[in-house]
Amino acid sequence: MSEVEYRQSQFSAPAGATDILLIRHGESAPARPDQPFRLVDGQGDPELAPAGLAHAQQVAVRLADEPLDAIYVTTLQRTAQTAAPLAARLGLTPRVEPDLREVHLGEWEGGLFRQKVAQRDPVILKMHDEQRWDVIPGAEPAESLRTRVRGAIERLAAAHPDQRIAVFTHGGVIGQVIALATDSRPLAFLGANNGSISQIVVTGDRWIVRRFNDSAHVDGGLSKAATALS
């Protein structure tokens, strides 16, 4: 009888591929009706809440021993603040990728979106029913979001063959990346937890999903509940 064995193979990134860790920023400051968030290029730019600063430290501990070749953040401060502890541990200077900034929420920027979610505004229900952001007045059209997110991921992959990078970004963007990778409904992956890690491997035109919403380091076990966008 043959003693040859064929074990199940383990995943190995193809030659030239780019391993991208997509990390959602930590919890940001609460929205208050009388104190709108300051805007950067028309988008709300809250700082991290105390819980978000803790998320940033937890991410740094989780990834401290992972080989990373670069760290990217967006133009919004909550991503830079979340990346800071890991960048300091690894001695890496974060680079900015503007096209991975959060979905533009039009007239509902500055914190109003959160209020509408909490109130179960009919437009929020319509947004999920129709799987598009631009039912919100002035919000970013679906094609615009897909184009800029796809372009950013392709640029990062072209710049980092055979490397692993960490990208600190936003819930709406992570959802869009995974939707593009899986050809799913546009909002199917909305709601990654603050501080969570998702992962894709980009090889040519293929985007291979390796994980989504890995939150063990921030909630101590299986994810309890996804948090609201922004």
Side-chain angles (χ1 to χ4, degrees), residues 146-216:
R146 284 195 299 269
T147 298
R148 72 170 169 90
V149 169
R150 181 182 293 280
I153 294 297
E154 288 175 346
R155 283 195 302 276
L156 294 181
H160 296 282
D162 293 313
Q163 293 184 340
R164 171 180 282 175
I165 62 174
V167 178
F168 288 77
T169 183
H170 307 266
V173 169
I174 293 169
Q176 183 63 74
V177 171
I178 305 301
L180 286 168
T182 59
D183 197 25
S184 74
R185 284 159 55 93
L187 305 187
F189 290 93
L190 189 62
N193 292 335
N194 291 114
S196 65
I197 301 170
S198 299
Q199 181 183 19
I200 62 168
V201 172
V202 179
T203 175
D205 293 334
R206 294 177 62 208
W207 295 13
I208 304 167
V209 177
R210 296 292 296 148
R211 73 185 68 211
F212 171 69
N213 197 39
D214 180 344
S215 306

Side-chain angles (χ1 to χ4, degrees), residues 50-178:
L53 295 173
H55 291 150
Q57 294 293 340
Q58 290 164 329
V59 169
V61 171
R62 174 75 183 273
L63 297 179
D65 296 324
E66 294 293 329
L68 291 173
D69 297 284
I71 292 175
Y72 284 84
V73 298
T74 76
T75 53
L76 301 173
Q77 65 175 331
R78 54 196 182 272
T79 63
Q81 291 175 337
T82 307
L86 179 63
R89 279 177 177 257
L90 301 181
L92 293 172
T93 300
R95 312 177 196 183
V96 177
E97 175 43 72
D99 279 348
L100 292 179
R101 67 191 180 279
E102 185 57 290
V103 179
H104 197 292
L105 298 172
E107 294 179 15
W108 288 8
E109 280 289 353
L112 183 57
F113 178 86
R114 294 191 196 176
Q115 298 174 51
K116 298 293 188 179
V117 170
Q119 295 162 0
R120 294 187 61 80
D121 188 284
V123 174
I124 293 294
L125 302 180
K126 184 179 180 182
M127 181 189 83
H128 286 285
D129 286 342
E130 298 188 10
Q131 293 286 293
R132 59 190 184 91
W133 297 99
D134 57 354
V135 299
I136 298 170
E140 186 169 8
E143 185 57 35
S144 172
L145 176 64
R146 284 195 299 269
T147 298
R148 72 170 169 90
V149 169
R150 181 182 293 280
I153 294 297
E154 288 175 346
R155 283 195 302 276
L156 294 181
H160 296 282
D162 293 313
Q163 293 184 340
R164 171 180 282 175
I165 62 174
V167 178
F168 288 77
T169 183
H170 307 266
V173 169
I174 293 169
Q176 183 63 74
V177 171
I178 305 301

